[in-house]
Amino acid sequence: MDDRAPPLTVIQGGAGNVGDGGGGKHSEIVSPPPPPGANLAPRERKVWDYVCRHLREAGLDHLTAGLAISIIVKTYVRWIDAEIKLADVEEKNGGTYFIITPNGHEQPHQVFYVVKNLKQELLKWLPESSLTLPSVAAVKAKLGDKAPQDDLFDELLNHGRNHPSAAFG
């Protein structure tokens, strides 16, 4: 990718100990393969591997996040490409992305809106895969030291234990 590309980072934390050499919980976390039909380009696959590696190192389970991660990866690469194109427009226009239309009106170049839309799309999807500070904090606060789905059926099991006759009718 281009040197001008902003970094896509994952906040460290979660259940594992970062860099523990394989003994902590994060060493047990498995990343999903890209979903069928995602057809990730080589640049997209590098971002996929980067995101998944950092989620594993942060101790965040993401095995079921393949669809969201693929959307993030494709959108991120497109956003980077659009940012590079916008920088080129600015360079050609004396440091601004505003252009003069054939009718003499000043307006932002069309690529400005592409960048804006892709950035908004990323900001919607990043929390879905715990790729923002608030989303990581929320996961940590909710789960503590429990695995992400440890309590999936707790309420149902507790109800069954407390009301055994209700289970059969």
Side-chain angles (χ1 to χ4, degrees):
M1 288 204 288
D2 192 300
D3 290 337
R4 295 181 284 181
L8 178 64
T9 59
V10 175
I11 289 44
Q12 298 298 317
N17 297 321
V18 176
D20 70 355
K25 290 182 182 179
H26 82 272
S27 64
E28 300 166 5
I29 295 174
V30 177
S31 295
N39 301 324
L40 299 180
R43 287 177 61 219
E44 294 167 341
R45 184 57 197 230
K46 285 180 183 180
V47 175
W48 174 277
D49 293 339
Y50 174 86
V51 167
C52 288
R53 177 173 43 89
H54 281 82
L55 286 169
R56 285 191 310 273
E57 289 175 1
L60 297 173
D61 188 9
H62 56 285
L63 186 60
T64 59
L67 293 173
I69 294 172
S70 66
I71 291 169
I72 290 167
V73 163
K74 287 184 171 287
T75 305
Y76 177 77
V77 170
R78 287 179 180 146
W79 176 61
I80 294 301
D81 290 344
E83 285 282 359
I84 292 167
K85 176 96 172 152
L86 185 59
D88 292 342
V89 166
E90 291 173 341
E91 187 177 313
K92 291 176 185 173
N93 287 310
T96 183
Y97 55 81
F98 282 92
I99 59 166
I100 305 295
T101 67
N103 294 336
H105 300 286
E106 186 176 55
Q107 68 183 33
H109 192 278
Q110 290 176 339
V111 76
F112 168 82
Y113 297 106
V114 173
V115 168
K116 177 183 171 190
N117 291 339
L118 289 168
K119 185 170 27 176
Q120 288 175 335
E121 192 71 19
L122 272 174
L123 292 174
K124 285 194 304 192
W125 281 96
L126 289 173
E128 294 295 322
S129 295
S130 297
L131 295 171
T132 64
L133 182 58
S135 63
V136 170
V139 168
K140 289 172 69 174
K142 182 176 180 182
L143 300 178
D145 290 333
K146 288 200 252 181
Q149 294 187 357
D150 280 353
D151 64 352
L152 184 62
F153 297 104
D154 278 355
E155 187 177 321
L156 182 61
L157 289 173
N158 288 335
H159 178 73
R161 286 184 189 122
N162 295 332
H163 304 89
S165 62
F168 296 105

